[in-house]
Amino acid sequence: MAETIEQRVEIADEPLFRVPPELYLNRELSWLAFNERVLEEAEDPTNPLLERVKFLAIFSSNLDEFFMIRVANLKRKLTAGIIEPGPDGLPPQALAPRLREMTQRLLERQQDVLNRSILPELRTNGIDVQAVDALDADDRAVLSSLFERDLFPILTPQAIDRGRRFPHVSNQSLNLLVHLKGDEPDARYARVKIPAVLDRLVRVPSAEDEGAGGRFIWLEELVAAEIVRLFPGNEVLAVYPFQVNRDSDIEFDDTDDDALDLLHLVERQLSQRTFGVVTQIVVDASMPVSVRNWLVNQMHGTERDLYVVDGALALDGLFCLLSLKRPDLLDPPLVPASVTVQDGRATEPIEWDEADVFAAIRHQDVMMQRPYQSFTTITHFLGTAARDPNVVAIKQTLYRLGKNSPIIPLLMEARDDDTQVAVLMEVKARFDEENNIALAHELETAGVHVNYGLAGLKTHCKALLVVRRESDGLRRYVHLSTGNYNAATARTYEDIGIITANEAIAADVSELFNALTGFSRQDTYRTLIVAPPNMRDQIISRIEREIAQHMEQGRGRLIFKMNSLVDREVIRALYAASIAGVEIDLIVRGICCLRPGVPGWSENIRVRSLVGRFLEHSRIYYFRNGGDDQIYLGSADMMERNLDRRVEVLFPINDPAHKSRIRDEILPAYLRDTANSRVLNADGTYQRVCEQPDATGEFNVQRWLIDFYRR
């Protein structure tokens, strides 16, 4: 065996080193396994009730996007007759039925936990989701008035007959198929789209309502109960709800030399999203089989696109319940801790918003971990720069901002005759395109220089550069992060960032912006690892260095924390490191295509996934490096799309105190977690760590981090 290991390690960087297909887990099945872990959080009775509702809604939202993007891609392969298997050996024709079977099973579990557990517990806590038939005459009369006032004027019944073809059903729409009695023997149908003007759960008005509870009915049930108003003179035989998802994976051909205006190209192609091929049709179990088949045929779908559930559809509508004033049914509110720094004026640390910001950054790198520390650390830094007369330039990349972002007004405030403000606004950020386009127009109107990205690439890195005139010349200050400049998601997404005046990092970021906004073809940097062109090569070379040092002196160690691990070459390098004896811990929240614990290949690799109150979003890459530890943070997962088709940045942690915090406290805490973690088994299944109790009892890393930063 030793000879085999040496041979494998020796040729690990050669094409001869082949990883057999059975050592790769399928990407799509791995993603569904991740969403199953989200569903398990909804099933977990130890979570607060409305937090369980939130996870149920997230599960639905995730699944919709999966069908709009990943299943759409699979369906294109099936339509094109592609039979080539993926890295795991599964061809599209074999993968499709497995995805359908697993999805149907998960949808049934979702309905089961909703109907058997969550709805009864909501009722016990004064939040009663009722059927329309259970309401008395007075309640029905009040709701009929609401229907007449707020819904009837905007509903559009669309008849389907010889003269009126089946109407277009838009993406992510919830609809009613109305079966009408006609004079002819053939069935008569009409379609009614459920509008989004009201929440999916409509409150039954009550004098006692204070926003903390009450009685609710599903919006589509209200429309169905009043459906005869839309078809006077007709007898309604039945009403069947159905939901549709379509291919929404827009391909922006921005490499075409004739497509000079990227902004207009994106605006034009966004209109295609609603007309994509059907990828999923979800119907209620009450719909007869003959009607289901007719509907699928009318939608130009196939049998594999059809899913049947016994209960309410489109459960992302449950998000509306989170606005109820019920703190007793939610996790305790998190008040982010302030960042404390030293700025040379006092011997004791002071709070960030009281410090001389630029003096503090010159004194020491500033590191913050959201949501445990406040997002205002970033807005205060940017606001200080915007109002400082000595700041001569501000440059920033923006990927996902959300609504009412505090970043945009600050950038507009900074723009004057003495300050150049430049923004790289990524208008191809999936499902944020329209919001980003609107913000780009707003910035341009204020005189900010806006670029829209590079041809063929998405700019996914998170970087902010401030150039300031000081007594000894110009000095650059840089913020780099694993997460977006999004104040809303900063309350629930875990991310880590630094603010630094390190000259080498600042010089690299300056050159990165030149590459993003100009014609620079920079491919090497002093300290940053940038994709493209060579992030994959640099990560693999560091893994190979770890192998070499381990074979010389032992104690090889790698710890990677990321959202997804898919890239075959990086996986191959990790297998080689395991074969050589390097100890490897992978904390992979979502997709993991590496199979751990396989004899002769991955005995030294452990994989865990954390799904908890906060979305684990930071990417951390730790290399022991023979005792001279290296830690990189950044925006990049180890996926082909990140390494080849996105502008990504990994940045080093140089400050000894911050390096120690990550190496000795944060990463070990993640590896100790028993409350939120599942371990990936060699057979591709996940198992809760809490099912393997140890003597120390349950440990929740997210609660520990809350306390850690409070201290």
Side-chain angles (χ1 to χ4, degrees):
M1 185 63 176
E3 181 178 331
T4 304
I5 290 175
E6 290 173 1
Q7 289 174 345
R8 287 177 179 173
V9 172
E10 181 181 349
I11 62 172
D13 58 348
E14 299 296 334
L16 295 174
F17 185 82
R18 300 297 184 194
V19 177
E22 57 268 24
L23 287 180
Y24 289 108
L25 296 171
N26 180 268
R27 170 180 171 154
E28 320 307 345
L29 293 173
S30 181
W31 186 93
L32 280 178
F34 157 67
N35 211 30
E36 183 176 20
R37 298 194 290 279
V38 174
L39 181 58
E40 287 173 358
E41 295 295 320
E43 295 170 329
D44 187 348
T46 65
N47 285 328
L49 183 55
L50 284 180
E51 300 293 340
R52 296 175 65 193
V53 170
K54 177 190 72 176
F55 281 113
L56 211 62
I58 291 172
F59 171 86
S60 285
S61 179
N62 286 348
L63 196 61
D64 283 350
E65 184 171 341
F66 178 70
F67 272 85
M68 289 188 287
I69 305 301
R70 299 306 308 171
V71 174
N73 180 266
L74 175 63
K75 190 165 184 177
R76 286 195 294 271
K77 292 180 180 179
L78 292 169
T79 302
I82 296 174
I83 61 174
E84 180 182 354
D88 57 299
L90 271 180
Q93 294 75 11
L95 175 61
R98 291 185 61 178
L99 287 181
R100 188 181 185 282
E101 178 187 1
M102 187 171 181
T103 300
Q104 181 65 52
R105 177 172 55 81
L106 291 176
L107 286 171
E108 290 169 2
R109 274 178 59 182
Q110 184 189 33
Q111 289 294 330
D112 187 69
V113 68
L114 175 68
N115 296 317
R116 293 177 178 270
S117 178
I118 289 179
L119 289 181
E121 290 188 40
L122 285 171
R123 188 176 304 116
T124 300
N125 284 276
I127 305 168
D128 191 2
V129 180
Q130 297 183 325
V132 172
D133 295 342
L135 302 177
D136 61 29
D138 291 340
D139 290 333
R140 288 291 299 268
V142 171
L143 288 171
S144 292
S145 297
L146 182 149
F147 172 86
E148 191 74 25
R149 182 184 70 245
D150 295 338
L151 284 169
F152 181 78
I154 59 176
L155 292 174
T156 303
Q158 295 177 290
I160 305 160
D161 58 22
R162 294 173 185 171
R164 289 166 288 193
R165 61 188 296 180
F166 194 92
H168 173 73
V169 179
S170 56
N171 183 40
Q172 283 193 288
S173 62
L174 182 61
N175 311 268
L176 297 179
L177 183 66
V178 185
H179 185 189
L180 302 164
K181 183 177 181 180
D183 297 330
E184 302 177 5
D186 294 339
R188 299 175 66 209
Y189 294 107
R191 175 253 187 167
V192 177
K193 180 179 179 179
I194 301 298
V197 294
L198 297 176
D199 287 338
R200 277 288 304 291
L201 285 168
V202 179
R203 185 186 294 275
V204 180
S206 170
E208 294 80 25
D209 173 38
E210 296 181 354
R215 293 174 298 149
F216 299 84
I217 63 169
W218 293 101
L219 177 59
E220 61 271 25
E221 287 193 13
L222 172 58
V223 176
E226 302 289 335
I227 202 74
V228 293
R229 291 279 292 108
L230 297 173
F231 302 97
N234 289 271
E235 181 182 350
V236 176
L237 299 178
V239 181
Y240 308 114
F242 69 98
Q243 178 197 7
V244 171
N245 283 313
R246 293 181 176 274
D247 183 345
S248 301
D249 193 10
I250 299 173
E251 295 292 338
F252 298 107
D253 187 13
D254 53 4
T255 60
D256 186 349
D257 291 339
D258 294 330
L260 296 178
D261 192 334
L262 176 61
L263 185 63
H264 289 159
L265 173 70
V266 174
E267 288 177 319
R268 185 170 67 249
Q269 291 192 249
L270 277 177
S271 61
Q272 300 175 8
R273 181 165 281 159
T274 191
F275 297 104
V277 172
V278 166
T279 57
Q280 186 186 37
I281 303 170
V282 187
V283 303
D284 183 81
S286 63
M287 182 182 288
V289 172
S290 60
V291 180
R292 298 175 198 171
N293 295 337
W294 176 85
L295 177 64
V296 169
N297 183 59
Q298 294 296 316
M299 296 286 296
H300 305 291
T302 66
E303 184 181 355
R304 65 172 171 265
D305 300 324
L306 181 67
Y307 295 83
V308 181
V309 299
D310 188 9
L313 312 184
L315 292 182
D316 56 335
L318 290 169
F319 277 122
C320 66
L321 290 181
L322 300 183
S323 62
L324 293 174
K325 300 173 184 177
R326 293 300 299 269
D328 57 313
L329 302 180
L330 292 164
D331 283 319
L334 170 63
V335 179
S338 300
V339 172
T340 57
V341 294
Q342 290 182 308
D343 63 1
R345 297 180 300 176
T347 56
E348 294 296 321
I350 59 176
E351 293 198 1
W352 174 250
D353 57 1
E354 298 175 356
D356 179 334
V357 166
F358 296 110
I361 301 168
R362 289 194 300 271
H363 178 74
Q364 186 180 37
D365 290 355
V366 178
M367 188 174 86
M368 72 290 298
Q369 186 173 13
R370 312 183 319 228
Y372 311 106
Q373 293 175 292
S374 177
F375 182 77
T376 59
T377 306
I378 299 167
T379 55
H380 182 63
F381 171 55
L382 180 57
T384 301
R387 292 181 284 272
D388 189 326
N390 291 316
V391 169
V392 296
I394 298 175
K395 303 181 183 183
Q396 189 169 14
T397 62
L398 298 175
Y399 190 75
R400 298 192 193 277
L401 282 169
K403 304 291 184 182
N404 304 314
S405 169
I407 297 294
I408 299 300
L410 293 174
L411 291 169
M412 294 166 64
E413 180 184 354
R415 171 70 184 95
D416 58 37
D417 292 339
D418 298 320
T419 307
Q420 181 185 113
V421 181
V423 168
L424 192 294
M425 178 71 78
E426 183 48 76
V427 294
K428 294 175 290 183
R430 184 181 291 147
F431 302 123
D432 276 291
E433 299 98 340
E434 292 178 345
N435 184 56
N436 286 6
I437 288 171
L439 294 176
H441 285 311
E442 190 176 347
L443 289 170
E444 284 186 319
T445 301
V448 174
H449 299 296
V450 181
N451 287 77
Y452 301 106
L454 301 175
L457 299 171
K458 286 185 181 180
T459 303
H460 190 245
C461 58
K462 329 298 179 184
L464 169 60
L465 172 67
V466 173
V467 184
R468 189 171 186 264
R469 185 188 304 110
E470 299 185 353
S471 58
D472 55 350
L474 294 179
R475 187 186 295 269
R476 291 171 290 204
Y477 299 84
V478 170
H479 173 260
L480 295 166
S481 179
T482 67
N484 295 303
Y485 294 103
N486 188 316
T489 59
R491 294 193 290 268
T492 54
Y493 284 27
E494 179 273 333
D495 278 296
I496 306 178
I498 63 166
I499 306 177
T500 181
N502 179 280
E503 292 184 3
I505 292 178
D508 277 353
V509 172
S510 284
E511 292 171 0
L512 174 66
F513 274 105
N514 290 341
L516 292 173
T517 62
F519 284 112
S520 167
R521 294 187 176 181
Q522 186 99 2
D523 58 4
T524 58
Y525 293 84
R526 300 163 186 81
T527 61
L528 300 184
I529 302 176
V530 179
N534 57 15
M535 181 177 286
R536 176 188 288 106
D537 291 342
Q538 294 222 35
I539 290 294
I540 291 175
S541 70
R542 283 165 173 76
I543 295 174
E544 291 173 342
R545 181 188 62 191
E546 199 70 26
I547 294 172
Q549 291 175 336
H550 175 77
M551 297 187 76
E552 289 180 5
Q553 54 187 280
R555 299 183 62 196
R557 189 81 167 99
L558 300 171
I559 306 174
F560 291 175
K561 180 179 182 291
M562 65 192 95
N563 296 337
S564 298
L565 173 60
V566 176
D567 187 78
R568 280 173 280 181
E569 293 185 42
V570 172
I571 290 174
R572 187 167 69 112
L574 290 170
Y575 278 136
S578 173
I579 291 167
V582 176
E583 292 294 327
I584 303 169
D585 278 289
L586 304 176
I587 306 165
V588 187
R589 185 195 76 211
I591 304 168
C592 181
C593 295
L594 179 147
R595 192 186 294 272
V598 178
W601 288 91
S602 54
E603 297 106 322
N604 296 309
I605 303 179
R606 295 159 295 278
V607 180
R608 63 174 53 211
S609 169
L610 273 77
V611 178
R613 176 180 178 181
F614 305 119
L615 185 78
E616 293 296 334
H617 194 250
S618 64
R619 291 85 164 182
I620 306 173
Y621 299 94
Y622 167 80
F623 306 85
R624 184 176 177 274
N625 191 30
D628 183 17
D629 307 89
Q630 285 190 347
I631 298 175
Y632 288 88
L633 310 181
S635 56
D637 291 307
M638 293 297 105
M639 305 178 72
E640 283 85 356
R641 73 178 188 189
N642 298 81
L643 301 175
D644 298 327
R645 301 187 296 277
R646 290 185 174 188
V647 179
E648 302 277 16
V649 167
L650 296 178
F651 53 92
I653 297 298
N654 296 322
D655 186 288
H658 300 327
K659 184 182 287 189
S660 174
R661 185 193 305 179
I662 294 172
R663 179 194 62 216
D664 301 332
E665 297 181 275
I666 292 176
L667 285 176
Y670 275 110
L671 296 176
R672 290 204 313 274
D673 181 90
T674 57
N676 307 296
S677 295
R678 283 87 165 167
V679 294
L680 175 59
N681 298 316
D683 63 1
T685 61
Y686 283 82
Q687 180 180 3
R688 277 185 177 271
V689 173
C690 62
E691 295 172 358
Q692 306 164 347
D694 56 30
T696 60
E698 183 181 84
F699 177 77
N700 187 321
V701 64
Q702 295 182 345
R703 291 177 190 166
W704 179 86
L705 283 165
I706 292 173
D707 295 337
F708 177 83
Y709 285 105
R710 282 176 178 165
R711 293 195 299 269

